[in-house]
Amino acid sequence: MATVSSVRQNPTAAEMLLDGYPLELLDGDASNIPEKWVTAVLMELHKKVGEKSRLIVLTVLGVQSTGKSTLLNTMFGVHFPVSSGRCTRGAYMLFLKVGDDTQIELGCDFILLIDTEGLKSPDLAQLEDSYEHDNQLATFVIGLSDVTIINIAMENATEMKDVLQIAVYAFIRMKRIGKNTICHFVHQNVAGVSAHAKNLTERQHLLDQLNEMTQIAAEMERQPSIQAFTDVLNYDLENNSWNIPGLWHGTPPMAPVNTGYSEAVAEFKKNLLESVGKGRSNDVSKIPEFLEWMRSLWKSVKYGNFIFSFRNTLVAHAYDNLCKEFAQWEWEMRKALLSWQTAAESEILNANNEAGWETWDTLVKLKKSELSVKIQFQKNKFNEKLFDYYRKKDRRVHLIEKYKTDFFNSITCVSNDIQHSVNTKLDKVFELKIVLKKAQDIQQECHVVIEERVMELLHDFKDLRLSDDQLREEFDKMWATATANVSTLKEQDIPAFILTQLKKNVSHQNVNENLQHIENLKDFGMEPFKTRGDHVNTFMAKVQNLCKGDLQIFADNVIETATQFILDKTKSNGDYHDSLSRDLLQRVDELVNQGYRCHQTNTQFEIDIKLHICGIAARKFLELHQRFLSNNDPRTQLEKCRHQYLSNFLDLYNNTDHCQRKANDFVQLCIQPAVEDCINRSLGIEIVDEILTSSRSMMYSSRSCFQYNLQKELLLKDDFKSFLKYICHYETYVKDQILLHICQQMEKDKTLYKLKKKNLEVVVCKLINAIKQASTFTSEDDANIPNLVNEMRKYLIKDIVIAEEAQKRSLFQIQSTCHSFTQSFIASLNTLKDTFLVEFANTEDITESLKKLAVKPQNELFERIIGCGQQCPFCKVPCEAGGKEHKKHHAAVHRPQGLGRYRRYSTEVLVESLCTTDVQSHCTFIMYGETTEWVNYRDYNTIYPDWHIPRDPTMEASDYWKYVLVRYNNQFARVYQAMPAKVPEAWKRITKQQALKGLKDSFSIK
């Protein structure tokens, strides 16, 4: 055979293909594909036709000597060799150029015909693996084909059954990897022209046989959902089954040719091409894609790996493309609803303080109803985008058809999550409004007294000539008397609230009486949590978990994740709400359930660890509540107004024009905190947008991209502790890295400053426009400034929350016109803008800035890439499935199980093999339940039914994880309290550059 390089020097082979000569695709004697040769010839052909090589692949399959080659020759006027016996060995392909007038109809440039050797060959019948050979051949050619013709001779019913069974096996396997094929059954040698009724009867009989074969094959392939052939392919009795008479009248060579044969074949060809033209997608494979699919398929066929494998490059790309689109659609939905939530919160907080809580409750209910409508609208929009994505039939969506339902379920899940989250936020804002009203009522009582006293002082001293110092002295006496008995907000018993939520959480269980007698959580969680023997039920589980420390490690991880959850929630300026405890306990439930199968924990363990975590939460949430009370303490708020009241008193006594000072007070006391709050409410969303459009956008486009970039950073960092944290504390490590990425991006080119400045300019513009619009309702000499400000607030009700009580205080006894106040207000507002810009420019601690944001960008990005958060039970690789509601967890690349703490039972040596290899083997792993049970890896689904681990005996760990295990073997063993893995010598020669290349190969990064 000529070398690959000679193809480029002498492109005769490609020219012969263009001239209609067949090329051997599969060597029938060696059962192998000359991949390099076929690739070189086809790529040369691709180059010769100017890369216009869209293909429709058509294959004929059937028993030996049933006229397969003759059928193709008659249909397309080609010259595949024909004779009795095994004339075709393996598979040959032939390129048929499509005319210009037909290219638009068929959507292709070439029809690629594949002629195969006959199944059930007598030459191979004596071989033990002849059935396996036929299965491999059928699976391979059907997998390559867009159209498959199953050629059946009517003389031998037994052989026909065998062919149908082989074909059905192949179709089921292709369905499992998302490959859709058009299938036609051709019955040759049908005597005469049968009556229509008889035809129908025969076709129904064929369908019955197909259904029977389908049920057998589905059972063998463990596909219980498939019960009929129509569950596998779109099959129509009328249009997918053809009767063709024999080619000869009598016995050749003396018998005359039957003209009915050509007529029947011509009719079949016409119908076939029409169905192909109608069913073609926009995304037709060209030669490079065909070759890539051919290589992946042949590898799967050789090793029996017919289950969906993300190592298949084309499927991986198709799935990843949809994941990227899905993530973007999800963010668009979240962004729209988060923006709506921000406006709704402002509207609730801006509600009239005098209206009472019943009116606010009605407003909240109205907003929740409005939210349901918004959610449904966004959900429908989301669904339509996904429908359109699949409807276009491009980007090879047929390869991922089986995941369509998972993505639609994920839309529902996302919608429900957002609705729950926003409803909870509205409830919290409602309760915040009530608490603030209580504080403001206390303040108002004092303000009324103070304002009356101020007016009394003015009346008492109006005829006296007092200095400013004398006036201050008299004011101080009055202030001390008026504020002597100011009430404070009552501190709530937060630990008791959390304990109530804990009791509700475990009320469905048979909980021991000790929990019912606990009255205070403050003393829990003070000391490190220690696992005990009564935390597991069986003796072997006690040995495994207590002697080897596995349960303690698991408990520490749960507590660390829960503690981080608590700390994240306490970074806000809000008050405690029971939803914080409910969400915390829900997260703990998820974590404990994830480890149940491995550690066989019992109810006592769950209660003890929840008490420990709730003890931590009780102290932290109490601090949050106390901080909120301190920030809103009536006495503290009154002291903030002291200087303002004094200035008012002096101005009124001296009859000074105080318009500008009053405007300054109003801006500083009311507008400044409102503007800062408004920026913090919207900035988080804009930071996420900035990250998703920055140089890091690709990293956050899908989970697999994120994994690739994260692992690349780990390799370049070359730090064992980082690898250990990534594997053993995955969620914490991911959150830390996201926060680091945000800080780096915000520092770059003063991005945070620019975003804050942009938001500030928008808010200031809204304020100026609002007061100008409000002033149109006033006359030149109108002095009702409080009315002017109230009118201004109406235009800002969904944007800015202005404290009503502070507004009244700042405008107390103002003596000016609306026109003058408007001018002074705008001047003061511009000064405030300059002050903010200086402050933004000097902001150094970005982490502190992020803590103030209502929407935490790190949390939004985390939700975007974390998915379900599940990890492989053996090697701890995180699930990369799109959305959250998927039937099975899966990952592109698994790693040596020793990295996930797995060790040999008798030697304590870390396991170097992959779970993908072991699930194909007869190896076993141990499970500690009521009895110690050794489970065959092949039956891992009985223990971990939610995981799909591809059975691939050829799959090795990528060079990346080989390098990591070798480099840190001893350190992992020391931390895991095990013996180092026994790695092959070849692994020790892998360099860092090879590891990086292995990482790129694993994630198909070019």
Side-chain angles (χ1 to χ4, degrees):
M1 182 185 290
T3 62
V4 172
S5 60
S6 70
V7 173
R8 300 188 187 96
Q9 297 164 6
N10 183 15
T12 308
E15 290 171 356
M16 291 176 69
L17 266 181
L18 285 173
D19 288 339
Y21 288 91
L23 175 72
E24 185 178 45
L25 172 62
L26 175 65
D27 185 334
D29 295 318
S31 287
N32 190 42
I33 294 177
E35 282 185 24
K36 291 182 179 179
W37 167 249
V38 171
T39 300
V41 173
L42 264 59
M43 287 306 295
E44 182 63 27
L45 187 149
H46 180 62
K47 183 179 173 184
K48 275 186 168 295
V49 297
E51 301 188 356
K52 294 180 179 179
S53 60
R54 296 172 301 164
L55 302 176
I56 286 177
V57 185
L58 186 149
T59 294
V60 63
L61 195 66
V63 175
Q64 181 178 305
S65 299
T66 54
K68 301 181 302 300
S69 302
T70 304
L71 179 64
L72 286 180
N73 292 342
T74 307
M75 286 178 73
F76 298 103
V78 293
H79 300 287
F80 284 113
V82 294
S83 70
S84 62
R86 191 186 179 198
C87 61
T88 305
R89 292 174 180 265
Y92 283 79
M93 58 183 174
L94 185 148
F95 280 77
L96 193 65
K97 178 71 175 168
V98 175
D100 295 339
D101 55 335
T102 317
Q103 283 183 11
I104 298 174
E105 281 180 46
L106 296 181
C108 67
D109 302 299
F110 290 92
I111 294 177
L112 175 55
L113 303 176
I114 299 179
D115 186 24
T116 61
E117 72 173 79
L119 305 176
K120 310 296 294 176
S121 168
D123 296 352
L124 301 175
Q126 68 272 22
L127 299 179
E128 191 176 327
D129 61 351
S130 63
Y131 189 80
E132 183 183 341
H133 169 272
D134 286 350
N135 263 288
Q136 286 188 351
L137 176 65
T139 304
F140 178 60
V141 295
I142 287 175
L144 286 179
S145 304
D146 299 302
V147 182
T148 303
I149 300 171
I150 306 296
N151 191 56
I152 302 169
M154 299 301 287
E155 297 94 337
N156 193 324
T158 304
E159 285 191 348
M160 185 177 81
K161 244 185 174 182
D162 288 341
V163 170
L164 293 181
Q165 189 166 343
I166 291 169
V168 167
Y169 267 112
F171 285 129
I172 288 177
R173 287 162 177 167
M174 288 307 106
K175 179 180 173 65
R176 293 177 76 181
I177 64 169
K179 174 74 174 176
N180 292 327
T181 300
I182 298 171
C183 177
H184 289 272
F185 290 89
V186 172
H187 308 258
Q188 291 213 47
N189 303 329
V190 178
V193 180
S194 302
H196 179 73
K198 187 179 178 185
N199 269 337
L200 264 178
T201 304
E202 289 174 352
R203 288 171 180 176
Q204 186 59 53
H205 179 62
L206 172 66
L207 183 57
D208 292 340
Q209 288 185 311
L210 286 170
N211 289 336
E212 181 188 343
M213 296 300 109
T214 299
Q215 289 170 9
I216 295 169
E219 187 177 343
M220 294 288 289
E221 294 288 311
R222 297 182 182 178
Q223 293 286 295
S225 61
I226 297 175
Q227 294 295 321
F229 187 66
T230 48
D231 294 334
V232 182
L233 289 178
N234 290 326
Y235 176 77
D236 182 80
L237 278 175
E238 291 286 337
N239 298 317
N240 293 91
S241 184
W242 297 83
N243 290 337
I244 295 179
L247 176 59
W248 307 98
H249 278 303
T251 306
M254 300 303 292
V257 172
N258 183 358
T259 55
Y261 177 83
S262 300
E263 291 170 358
V265 169
E267 181 64 25
F268 169 50
K269 176 186 174 183
K270 179 185 174 185
N271 184 281
L272 183 145
L273 293 179
E274 284 177 358
S275 65
V276 167
K278 289 176 185 175
R280 293 299 290 163
S281 67
N282 298 325
D283 188 35
V284 182
S285 293
K286 293 187 178 182
I287 284 176
E289 289 86 359
F290 171 78
L291 289 169
E292 195 170 3
W293 175 256
M294 177 195 76
R295 285 190 290 268
S296 300
L297 184 63
W298 179 240
K299 185 176 180 182
S300 294
V301 167
K302 275 199 300 186
Y303 296 104
N305 182 21
F306 298 108
I307 302 171
F308 180 84
S309 166
F310 276 81
R311 299 188 76 201
N312 181 307
T313 310
L314 293 180
V315 175
H317 284 171
Y319 190 87
D320 202 43
N321 284 337
L322 178 52
C323 286
K324 289 174 183 177
E325 293 287 348
F326 191 90
Q328 186 57 36
W329 298 333
E330 182 179 341
W331 171 240
E332 287 170 6
M333 181 181 185
R334 284 186 181 277
K335 184 166 69 170
L337 292 166
L338 284 171
S339 299
W340 179 90
Q341 173 192 312
T342 302
E345 288 176 358
S346 298
E347 200 171 340
I348 294 167
L349 291 172
N350 274 325
N352 187 353
N353 270 350
E354 305 305 322
W357 73 269
E358 294 92 347
T359 305
W360 306 334
D361 185 45
T362 303
L363 176 60
V364 171
K365 288 177 180 175
L366 183 66
K367 286 293 155 190
K368 286 184 177 180
S369 298
E370 191 178 321
L371 172 65
S372 296
V373 175
K374 292 273 183 187
I375 290 272
Q376 192 58 50
F377 173 77
Q378 291 291 335
K379 183 180 176 181
N380 292 343
K381 197 173 171 184
F382 204 158
N383 279 325
E384 191 58 37
K385 286 177 181 177
L386 188 57
F387 269 123
D388 286 344
Y389 191 90
Y390 274 95
R391 203 178 289 135
K392 288 176 183 175
K393 296 188 177 180
D394 55 4
R395 303 191 183 186
R396 302 184 184 86
V397 291
H398 62 280
L399 298 176
I400 51 173
E401 185 73 28
K402 64 180 285 188
Y403 294 93
K404 188 175 181 179
T405 303
D406 287 349
F407 280 101
F408 276 111
N409 290 340
S410 291
I411 293 174
T412 301
C413 180
V414 168
S415 302
N416 293 340
D417 284 350
I418 294 175
Q419 185 153 17
H420 170 74
S421 173
V422 177
N423 277 333
T424 301
K425 289 283 176 64
L426 295 179
D427 288 337
K428 289 167 79 171
V429 170
F430 174 55
E431 292 196 13
L432 175 63
K433 178 77 173 173
I434 293 172
V435 173
L436 291 177
K437 178 66 166 64
K438 290 178 182 177
Q440 288 168 6
D441 285 346
I442 296 170
Q443 292 175 47
Q444 189 172 12
E445 289 177 11
C446 294
H447 284 308
V448 170
V449 173
I450 291 167
E451 288 169 8
E452 287 175 354
R453 298 284 179 85
V454 167
M455 297 309 293
E456 288 173 4
L457 287 177
L458 288 170
H459 181 268
D460 293 343
F461 301 146
K462 68 177 179 179
D463 296 327
L464 301 176
R465 301 291 297 172
L466 299 178
S467 67
D468 284 355
D469 288 340
Q470 289 174 314
L471 290 170
R472 286 192 183 93
E473 186 178 343
E474 292 297 328
F475 178 84
D476 288 344
K477 291 177 185 177
M478 177 277 294
W479 185 270
T481 305
T483 60
N485 298 310
V486 178
S487 302
T488 58
L489 292 171
K490 184 182 177 183
E491 182 177 300
Q492 301 296 309
D493 191 351
I494 303 302
F497 292 165
I498 297 174
L499 181 58
T500 300
Q501 292 302 318
L502 174 60
K503 289 178 178 179
K504 286 181 181 177
N505 176 262
V506 298
S507 61
H508 62 285
Q509 300 173 0
N510 185 18
V511 180
N512 57 33
E513 294 182 3
N514 293 336
L515 181 60
Q516 303 302 328
H517 292 99
I518 292 172
E519 295 181 356
N520 199 320
L521 288 170
K522 282 186 179 179
D523 297 332
F524 288 90
M526 300 288 285
E527 301 294 329
F529 183 82
K530 298 293 182 186
T531 54
R532 306 190 306 269
D534 62 343
H535 285 160
V536 290
N537 292 328
T538 66
F539 173 75
M540 287 305 297
K542 295 181 197 295
V543 172
Q544 176 72 12
N545 290 315
L546 300 180
C547 297
K548 299 183 180 180
D550 287 4
L551 184 59
Q552 184 64 53
I553 293 166
F554 171 68
D556 290 345
N557 288 345
V558 171
I559 292 167
E560 181 184 353
T561 304
T563 304
Q564 188 61 50
F565 181 93
I566 294 166
L567 294 176
D568 287 344
K569 297 297 181 182
T570 56
K571 288 175 183 175
S572 71
N573 293 323
D575 194 8
Y576 169 80
H577 188 270
D578 279 339
S579 63
L580 295 176
S581 297
R582 287 196 296 270
D583 291 346
L584 171 64
L585 289 166
Q586 182 181 339
R587 184 73 184 110
V588 173
D589 283 335
E590 291 171 2
L591 295 168
V592 170
N593 290 337
Q594 284 175 22
Y596 169 74
R597 289 193 185 94
C598 289
H599 305 287
Q600 294 296 307
T601 54
N602 56 23
T603 302
Q604 188 62 51
F605 171 79
E606 183 180 342
I607 298 301
D608 286 348
I609 200 167
K610 283 181 177 177
L611 280 169
H612 183 91
I613 291 167
C614 286
I616 298 170
R619 291 185 291 278
K620 292 298 179 182
F621 288 157
L622 179 60
E623 290 174 11
L624 173 71
H625 176 61
Q626 290 170 339
R627 187 169 68 245
F628 174 81
L629 294 182
S630 175
N631 291 339
N632 294 277
D633 179 60
R635 180 177 289 281
T636 305
Q637 297 302 318
L638 279 171
E639 285 301 324
K640 290 179 181 178
C641 301
R642 179 172 181 156
H643 175 73
Q644 181 189 354
Y645 274 119
L646 175 59
S647 299
N648 285 336
F649 173 59
L650 294 174
D651 287 344
L652 290 169
Y653 181 83
N654 296 319
N655 202 23
T656 307
D657 181 10
H658 61 182
C659 181
Q660 188 60 60
R661 186 186 64 76
K662 281 287 190 179
N664 291 343
D665 287 347
F666 176 64
V667 167
Q668 288 172 9
L669 291 173
C670 300
I671 302 302
Q672 182 172 343
V675 169
E676 190 171 2
D677 177 68
C678 181
I679 291 172
N680 287 337
R681 282 175 182 274
S682 59
L683 190 59
I685 297 173
E686 296 195 4
I687 288 175
V688 176
D689 268 339
E690 179 64 30
I691 297 291
L692 296 181
T693 54
S694 69
S695 57
R696 290 190 182 273
S697 61
M698 187 55 67
M699 179 175 187
Y700 290 95
S701 63
S702 71
R703 292 184 185 97
S704 59
C705 287
F706 182 78
Q707 285 301 321
Y708 165 74
N709 283 278
L710 209 59
Q711 291 176 28
K712 181 182 176 183
E713 287 177 4
L714 279 166
L715 184 67
L716 298 177
K717 192 188 296 184
D718 197 17
D719 175 57
F720 170 70
K721 289 183 179 178
S722 296
F723 273 107
L724 186 67
K725 190 174 182 181
Y726 171 76
I727 294 169
C728 299
H729 308 278
Y730 174 69
E731 191 171 307
T732 304
Y733 182 81
V734 168
K735 285 184 174 179
D736 290 347
Q737 290 304 301
I738 291 173
L739 186 59
L740 178 63
H741 294 162
I742 291 172
C743 291
Q744 290 171 345
Q745 186 62 35
M746 291 301 101
E747 284 177 2
K748 186 179 178 182
D749 300 328
K750 296 185 176 180
T751 303
L752 184 61
Y753 169 79
K754 292 174 182 175
L755 289 175
K756 284 185 173 182
K757 180 183 177 185
K758 185 181 79 171
N759 275 273
L760 176 63
E761 288 171 348
V762 170
V763 178
V764 168
C765 184
K766 285 182 178 180
L767 282 162
I768 292 173
N769 288 338
I771 199 159
K772 284 182 177 179
Q773 285 179 295
S775 64
T776 59
F777 296 97
T778 62
S779 60
E780 189 78 19
D781 57 350
D782 191 343
N784 194 344
I785 294 171
N787 187 53
L788 170 72
V789 173
N790 286 334
E791 195 66 33
M792 179 188 78
R793 287 169 60 120
K794 291 178 183 178
Y795 296 102
L796 302 168
I797 193 166
K798 291 187 177 182
D799 299 310
I800 301 171
V801 180
I802 299 174
E804 197 172 325
E805 201 60 34
Q807 174 191 319
K808 291 177 182 177
R809 303 294 72 82
S810 61
L811 299 179
F812 168 64
Q813 288 294 317
I814 185 169
Q815 295 177 357
S816 181
T817 65
C818 290
H819 177 73
S820 297
F821 180 80
T822 300
Q823 299 306 312
S824 300
F825 172 77
I826 292 173
S828 184
L829 194 58
N830 286 324
T831 303
L832 176 67
K833 178 182 174 183
D834 294 338
T835 305
F836 267 126
L837 289 175
V838 172
E839 182 187 321
F840 294 163
N842 294 329
T843 301
E844 294 183 358
D845 193 342
I846 293 174
T847 307
E848 283 302 313
S849 295
L850 295 177
K851 286 180 182 178
K852 298 175 184 177
L853 305 184
V855 176
K856 300 289 190 289
Q858 62 270 36
N859 292 347
E860 291 301 322
L861 290 172
F862 178 77
E863 286 296 320
R864 182 183 176 91
I865 53 85
I866 194 62
C868 62
Q870 296 286 325
Q871 291 178 274
C872 171
F874 300 111
C875 68
K876 297 297 181 282
V877 64
C879 171
E880 294 170 17
K884 288 187 176 181
E885 287 296 305
H886 37 260
K887 295 174 185 174
K888 295 279 187 180
H889 307 299
H890 53 69
V893 183
H894 289 258
R895 50 201 184 210
Q897 295 170 75
L899 294 172
R901 296 183 182 273
Y902 257 71
R903 63 200 83 185
R904 306 290 178 195
Y905 180 73
S906 55
T907 63
E908 293 291 308
V909 173
L910 292 177
V911 178
E912 79 287 351
S913 63
L914 265 72
C915 30
T916 48
T917 304
D918 284 349
V919 295
Q920 181 72 10
S921 70
H922 292 285
C923 296
T924 56
F925 62 94
I926 195 167
M927 283 300 300
Y928 300 101
E930 295 300 323
T931 59
T932 302
E933 181 184 1
W934 287 94
V935 181
N936 194 306
Y937 268 96
R938 286 174 175 263
D939 301 322
Y940 77 93
N941 268 138
T942 60
I943 308 298
Y944 305 110
D946 299 334
W947 267 91
H948 165 63
I949 302 171
R951 304 172 190 272
D952 191 347
T954 68
M955 192 184 289
E956 290 187 356
S958 72
D959 283 350
Y960 178 89
W961 289 112
K962 290 176 185 176
Y963 175 84
V964 170
L965 183 57
V966 169
R967 180 160 179 75
Y968 303 114
N969 197 357
N970 292 328
Q971 289 157 283
F972 275 118
R974 191 159 48 249
V975 172
Y976 293 168
Q977 298 179 358
M979 299 296 291
K982 294 179 180 179
V983 296
E985 286 298 316
W987 291 19
K988 298 176 182 178
R989 294 191 289 273
I990 297 171
T991 64
K992 195 172 186 177
Q993 288 72 27
Q994 288 172 318
L996 182 58
K997 183 181 182 300
L999 182 66
K1000 288 181 177 179
D1001 291 343
S1002 297
F1003 287 97
S1004 303
I1005 304 294
K1006 295 182 180 178

